[in-house]
Amino acid sequence: MAIIFDFERKVFRLDTPQSSYAMYISESGFLIHLYYGAKIPDTDLIYLAKRPNTVSFSALTADQKLTLDSALLEYPTNGISDMRSSALSIRGFSGNSATDIRYRSHRIYSGKPKIPGLPATYAENENDADTLEIVMYDELWDAEITLFYTAFNTLDAITRSVRVKNNGTKAFDIERVHSSAVDFYDDNFEMLHLEGRWGKERTPVKRRLMYGLQGIQSKRGSSSHNHNPFVALCRDGWTEESGEVYGFSLVYSGNFSAEVEVDSLNSTRVLMGINPTDFGWHLDAGESFCTPETVMVYSNEGLGKMSRTYHRLYRNNLCRGEWKTKKRPIIVNNWEATYFGFDDDKLVAIAKEASELGIEMLVMDDGWFGKRNTDNCSLGDWYVNQDKIRGGLKQLVDRVNALGIKFGIWFEPEMISPDSDLFREHPDWCLHVNGRECSIARSQYVLDMSRKDVRDNIFEQMSKILSNANIEYVKWDFNRNLTEVGSEQLPPERQKEVGHRYVLGVYELLERLVTEFPKLLLEGCSGGGGRFDPGMLYYSPQIWTSDDTDAIERLEIQNGTSIVYPPSTMSAHVSAIPNHQTGRNTSFKTRGDVAMAGAFGYELDLTKLSEEERELVRKQVRTYHEFYDTIQNGEYYRLINPTEDKSNPTCSAAWESVSGDKRDVIVTYVVMRTSVSISRYVRLRGLDPDLTYTNTESGESYSGALLMNAGINLSWNHKDGDSTVIHFKAL
C-alpha cells in the first residue's frame, strides 16, 4: 500500500517510487501539511510543523493551539485566521463567507475513483494506485469537503481533487474551490510556466519567486493560447537533468487559475483549480460539486524527468480508447492545400497522390457544409454542401476509400454563425446576456453548451454525418473565446455557474461521441493549440499543436509543449513553402524531420509536388514507420532548448527519443541560425552505458558511456534551417 496512516501521530504519508507526501491532523482538527519531496521512511514528522506564532496581528484558533496565519495548511479556507490566498470559500445562509473545515474521517483503498462528469487520470488496475479520502466538515454550513489523493505506484505522480457536499437543509454558495493547495516552508524556487499567443503557443518562461502573489490564469472560457494550465516550482540550481522540480498540471479545459504566494515568513503556497473570477456554484441541500483534478509530479532529477513522468502518465493513464496505443495513420489535411476552394474531384485527386506516396488518411477540413465558402456563415448547419461534394458525402468517402485511403472530417461543434439556419431558428441558443449586444469574433457566436437541447441537436447532426459514411477521424475545432457568458435556462443565482457548466457540457458531448463511435480517432484543435490541455486529451489522444506550421517556429512550440505533453499527442505536419504563416522557406527534409517529432502528417497540396519532393515523402513515410514506436512511446529528452539557445552563435534545437529497452536511439538536430566556424557537441541521455551503439548510416560505434559523457560531434558547417537525424542501434 502506497499510503499509510500512523494512528499514534495522526500522520498520513503517501509514497510513490521516489517521492513522499505527508500531513497530519492537529489537536483541533486542522489538516497540517508536513512534507513533499524525495522519498522518506519516517512518519515522525510533526516537528516540521513548528512555525512562528506571529506574522502580523495573527490570531490563534479558539482553543489557542494553532496560528493558522503561519501554519502550513493542507487545504486553506477563507475568513477565519489565515490571511493568505485560500483554496475554499463558502458563503452560507447568513451571508458570511468564513469557512472552517475540520477533520472528520478518512479511508484508504486500492485503485482510483472517477470524477463525475470530468476527465481525469485513471488506474488500469486496482494495484496501479492507492487512494486516500479525507472528509473535512464545516459544522456551521453543514458542508462536507472530501479531499481525494491518489498515489501512483510506478510513477512519481500524486493527483488531487475535491468534492463539496451540502449536508444541511439550507443552500449555500461556493465562491472559490481549488483542486489542490500545497504549502512549502521556503521560497527558494523559480516558477516555470508556458505562455503564448495564437501561432506561438507554450513558450517556457521562468521567474524567481517574489513576495506576494504571482501566477497565471485564463478567463477566456478555455485553457487558451496564452497560458497552459501548468506551473512548476523548480528549486534553486535546477537544470534539465538535475535538481528538484514540482509540477502542477490541471486536467481541465476552461477558466483556470494557478496562484503562487510567498508570505512574510518566506513560505510558498501553490493553489491550482477553476478560476474564481466570475465563478460561483449554488448548492441546494443534498447537492455536490466536484473539482477537476490536479496532477502533481515530483522530480529530483530536473525538469526532464518531470516531463517524462507526465508523458508516461498522460499517454497510458489519461488517453483512452482504441487509439491510445494503436498506431496512428499518416494524415494529409487539405486546409493549407485548398482552404475553402475545393470540391469532391480535388479531394479525390489529393487522395490519389496520397495512395501513391504511402500516406494513409485524407482529412477534409473547413468548408464542406452548409453554404460555407468563407468563414462568415453556416457554423451549426452540419449538412453537406452539395455544390462542393457532388453526389453526397458517402460517394466521396467511397471514392477515397477505393484508393486505399481512410477519410476524416472537420467540425466546429461549439460554434454558430449569425448567418446560419440554426441561428435563424434558435437565436437564443448562443451564449448571451439579455439586454447586451453579443460580441462577435471570426463572424461567429458560441453555442450555449450548458444546455442539453443544444448538445442534443449538435450530437444528432454530427451522428447523422458520421453514420452516413466510413469516417474514421474527426478534427474538433474551437475558434474563439467566450464572452457574454450567460444562459437563459439558469436563474440569476446560478449565472456564475455557466462557464463551468459550458465545459461540463463540452465534455458530455465528447463522451457521447467517443462512446457512440468508439473506433473514431479524435483530434482536438482550437485555432491550433488554444485548448491543448489534459482535459481534452482524455477524449482526443492528439491535438493540433499550433496553426503555425513553419518548421523553425515549431521547434520552440513543440519544445515547450513537451515539458508536459508526450510527442504522441502533438499533431505535426509538413506544410508548403513559402510557409503560409511566416513566409519562410525551409527544406522539405527539415520540415519532415521536425514534424516527425509528433503525430506525423502533411498540410499541403500533394498534386503540386515535384518528383524530388514525392521521393522525399516516400522516404519520410518509411522513416515514420521505422521510428514510430521509439518516437511515440519512448523516453523523450530535450538536448538543446531552442528558446534558450538564441544567445549562442549558432541558434539550434536538439532532441532525442530512446526506446523502452534503451537499444534504439534517434537524435534530431536543427540549426535555426548559423555562423562561421562553430564547434558543437551534444551529450546524449538515457542510454545504457554498458551497451555499444552503432550509427546506422555511418557504421561507427560508440559505448553508451561515451555518447552520454563526451557526446556526439556536430561541428560541421550547417546552413540556416538544416537538420540532421542520427539513428543509433545497440549491438
Side-chain angles (χ1 to χ4, degrees):
M1 182 66 70
I3 301 171
I4 63 170
F5 180 59
D6 183 326
F7 285 92
E8 180 182 352
R9 298 184 175 93
K10 306 298 183 188
V11 170
F12 299 97
R13 197 187 74 224
L14 295 80
D15 292 329
T16 70
Q18 295 186 46
S19 73
S20 294
Y21 187 101
M23 69 200 96
Y24 88 104
I25 308 160
S26 74
E27 289 183 41
S28 44
F30 291 100
L31 202 57
I32 307 300
H33 180 76
L34 292 171
Y35 177 79
Y36 185 26
K39 192 168 185 176
I40 56 173
D42 311 77
T43 57
D44 187 7
L45 302 170
I46 297 176
Y47 77 95
L48 294 171
K50 294 179 180 178
R51 304 280 288 167
N53 285 342
T54 302
V55 180
S56 175
F57 302 130
S58 299
L60 295 171
T61 53
D63 59 7
Q64 299 191 20
K65 302 269 188 188
L66 194 62
T67 304
L68 296 183
D69 204 14
S70 62
L72 304 181
L73 298 172
E74 191 58 34
Y75 196 68
T77 60
N78 181 60
I80 42 177
S81 59
D82 178 11
M83 303 302 177
R84 296 162 290 180
S85 291
S86 59
L88 177 68
S89 180
I90 296 174
R91 191 169 297 277
F93 49 81
S94 70
N96 187 273
S97 62
T99 307
D100 188 345
I101 61 174
R102 311 288 179 104
Y103 170 84
R104 176 165 282 190
S105 65
H106 75 272
R107 71 185 185 109
I108 299 170
Y109 54 92
S110 297
K112 186 177 189 296
K114 292 184 176 181
I115 304 177
L118 285 164
T121 57
Y122 58 88
E124 287 274 19
N125 304 294
E126 278 195 356
N127 294 331
D128 292 346
D130 295 315
T131 296
L132 166 66
E133 293 182 14
I134 302 177
V135 177
M136 309 291 287
Y137 211 84
D138 186 307
E139 299 286 351
L140 182 60
W141 306 142
D142 265 325
E144 178 186 278
I145 291 86
T146 305
L147 308 180
F148 293 87
Y149 302 77
T150 295
F152 282 87
N153 292 325
T154 59
L155 293 168
D156 293 313
I158 295 172
T159 67
R160 301 272 303 273
S161 66
V162 177
R163 182 181 64 217
V164 180
K165 183 179 180 183
N166 185 346
N167 281 342
T169 59
K170 298 178 181 179
F172 58 70
D173 291 284
I174 303 171
E175 296 187 321
R176 59 190 288 140
V177 54
H178 283 85
S179 302
S180 62
V182 179
D183 279 356
F184 294 90
Y185 60 80
D186 67 326
D187 66 343
N188 297 318
F189 296 103
E190 281 187 321
M191 183 177 80
L192 176 75
H193 61 96
L194 305 174
E195 66 87 23
R197 59 185 184 276
W198 175 82
K200 192 67 172 175
E201 298 89 341
R202 291 173 300 284
T203 300
V205 174
K206 55 188 178 183
R207 63 177 99 164
R208 186 74 177 80
L209 289 189
M210 302 172 62
Y211 286 114
L213 282 170
Q214 49 246 282
I216 57 171
Q217 66 167 358
S218 171
K219 47 183 286 189
R220 296 173 177 269
S222 67
S223 47
S224 84
H225 297 86
N226 302 74
H227 294 290
N228 200 256
F230 162 82
V231 295
L233 292 192
C234 309
R235 197 169 289 285
D236 288 356
W238 68 281
T239 69
E240 181 71 24
E241 294 299 324
S242 66
E244 287 192 306
V245 177
Y246 300 83
F248 302 86
S249 175
L250 188 67
V251 187
Y252 190 59
S253 307
N255 294 337
F256 75 91
S257 171
E259 297 180 21
V260 181
E261 183 175 10
V262 177
D263 68 12
S264 58
L265 297 177
N266 294 356
S267 57
T268 301
R269 172 169 293 174
V270 183
L271 302 173
M272 178 165 270
I274 296 172
N275 193 336
T277 301
D278 292 330
F279 167 81
W281 201 270
H282 186 76
L283 273 189
D284 284 326
E287 291 183 338
S288 296
F289 178 86
C290 296
T291 73
E293 175 178 87
T294 298
V295 179
M296 307 189 308
V297 167
Y298 170 78
S299 165
N300 57 4
E301 296 177 27
L303 190 69
K305 184 185 176 187
M306 181 210 73
S307 296
R308 291 185 287 278
T309 300
Y310 276 122
H311 292 181
R312 291 194 293 274
L313 182 68
Y314 285 172
R315 192 171 59 232
N316 299 318
N317 299 90
L318 180 65
C319 295
R320 302 176 297 159
E322 180 166 330
W323 293 99
K324 168 183 168 179
T325 55
K326 187 175 179 180
K327 191 175 184 180
R328 314 272 175 81
I330 302 175
I331 288 168
V332 58
N333 186 297
N334 76 295
W335 179 242
E336 289 193 14
T338 66
Y339 294 100
F340 292 106
F342 65 88
D343 59 18
D344 51 338
D345 287 341
K346 177 62 178 177
L347 294 175
V348 171
I350 294 174
K352 184 175 184 299
E353 291 295 320
S355 68
E356 295 175 0
L357 298 173
I359 296 168
E360 298 158 298
M361 176 179 281
L362 170 71
V363 174
M364 179 174 65
D365 210 282
D366 193 356
W368 60 267
F369 54 93
K371 300 173 183 177
R372 184 83 160 178
N373 293 307
T374 66
D375 65 1
N376 64 3
C377 70
S378 298
L379 291 172
D381 297 343
W382 301 110
Y383 55 84
V384 174
N385 183 334
Q386 296 282 347
D387 293 333
K388 288 184 177 180
I389 314 300
R390 294 160 294 193
L393 185 60
K394 186 177 188 307
Q395 180 172 306
L396 170 61
V397 176
D398 288 347
R399 291 173 69 191
V400 171
N401 288 168
L403 296 167
I405 300 296
K406 301 175 187 294
F407 193 89
I409 198 168
W410 178 96
F411 283 96
E412 193 169 1
E414 300 163 66
M415 300 295 158
I416 185 169
S417 301
D419 182 8
S420 67
D421 296 340
L422 188 66
F423 186 79
R424 284 183 282 273
E425 185 177 353
H426 298 288
D428 61 319
W429 276 14
C430 68
L431 290 173
H432 66 281
V433 174
N434 286 329
R436 296 203 181 279
E437 292 183 357
C438 283
S439 304
I440 193 162
R442 203 171 176 263
S443 302
Q444 62 198 58
Y445 298 140
V446 184
L447 283 168
D448 182 357
M449 300 302 285
S450 72
R451 294 177 56 153
K452 186 177 184 302
D453 53 353
V454 171
R455 300 195 302 273
D456 287 346
N457 177 283
I458 297 302
F459 177 77
E460 288 163 11
Q461 290 195 67
M462 294 181 71
S463 181
K464 186 176 180 180
I465 291 291
L466 297 175
S467 300
N468 178 255
N470 184 30
I471 296 169
E472 301 180 65
Y473 163 107
V474 162
K475 183 176 182 179
W476 180 300
D477 213 342
F478 171 86
N479 280 317
R480 63 155 290 180
N481 299 141
L482 273 54
T483 57
E484 293 81 44
V485 183
S487 176
E488 285 197 357
Q489 288 202 335
L490 293 174
E493 66 271 18
R494 291 191 179 272
Q495 286 299 313
K496 283 193 170 185
E497 300 176 11
V498 178
H500 182 59
R501 287 184 181 273
Y502 178 95
V503 179
L504 294 178
V506 171
Y507 289 154
E508 191 267 347
L509 182 55
L510 284 161
E511 189 66 37
R512 288 175 70 181
L513 191 70
V514 298
T515 301
E516 183 73 15
F517 302 96
K519 295 184 180 298
L520 194 69
L521 173 56
L522 195 64
E523 176 170 304
C525 181
S526 174
R531 198 160 61 180
F532 202 123
D533 59 64
M536 293 305 294
L537 288 180
Y538 188 72
Y539 307 97
S540 54
Q542 61 189 53
I543 298 174
W544 185 229
T545 314
S546 177
D547 275 350
D548 189 342
T549 59
D550 181 280
I552 302 304
E553 291 291 294
R554 274 296 189 103
L555 293 172
E556 291 191 74
I557 295 167
Q558 292 172 194
N559 175 80
T561 305
S562 76
I563 288 176
V564 187
Y565 304 102
S568 61
T569 67
M570 292 190 277
S571 188
H573 291 179
V574 177
S575 62
I577 56 170
N579 181 264
H580 290 197
Q581 289 79 46
T582 66
R584 183 183 280 116
N585 288 307
T586 308
S587 74
F588 207 100
K589 178 186 183 303
T590 296
R591 284 177 275 154
D593 291 346
V594 173
M596 202 70 68
F600 184 67
Y602 292 86
E603 193 87 16
L604 42 71
D605 190 344
L606 298 176
T607 67
K608 295 180 179 179
L609 297 182
S610 67
E611 188 53 43
E612 181 184 2
E613 289 172 327
R614 289 165 58 84
E615 187 52 43
L616 280 168
V617 171
R618 293 188 185 97
K619 182 178 180 181
Q620 288 169 354
V621 167
R622 291 193 298 271
T623 300
Y624 167 82
H625 290 297
E626 181 184 0
F627 291 172
Y628 180 87
D629 189 62
T630 299
I631 291 175
Q632 301 294 316
N633 300 312
E635 299 282 84
Y636 184 86
Y637 295 84
R638 292 178 293 271
L639 303 180
I640 300 176
N641 182 330
T643 303
E644 295 185 350
D645 203 52
K646 286 180 177 178
S647 61
N648 286 336
T650 298
C651 173
S652 58
W655 61 94
E656 172 192 17
S657 299
V658 181
S659 62
D661 62 5
K662 298 183 182 294
R663 305 187 75 86
D664 203 60
V665 182
I666 300 156
V667 180
T668 305
Y669 175 68
V670 183
V671 174
M672 301 164 71
R673 183 187 65 245
T674 193
S675 184
V676 177
S677 300
I678 289 298
S679 175
R680 195 85 200 229
Y681 296 80
V682 177
R683 293 182 178 184
L684 305 192
R685 298 176 186 143
L687 310 186
D688 185 329
D690 298 323
L691 288 178
T692 298
Y693 292 86
T694 299
N695 182 325
T696 59
E697 184 175 350
S698 70
E700 298 167 327
S701 296
Y702 314 89
S703 70
L706 181 66
L707 291 172
M708 289 191 292
N709 292 303
I712 55 176
N713 188 349
L714 297 170
S715 302
W716 56 83
N717 289 329
H718 290 87
K719 296 188 292 294
D720 288 1
D722 279 358
S723 64
T724 299
V725 176
I726 305 173
H727 181 206
F728 293 99
K729 286 192 76 71
L731 296 175

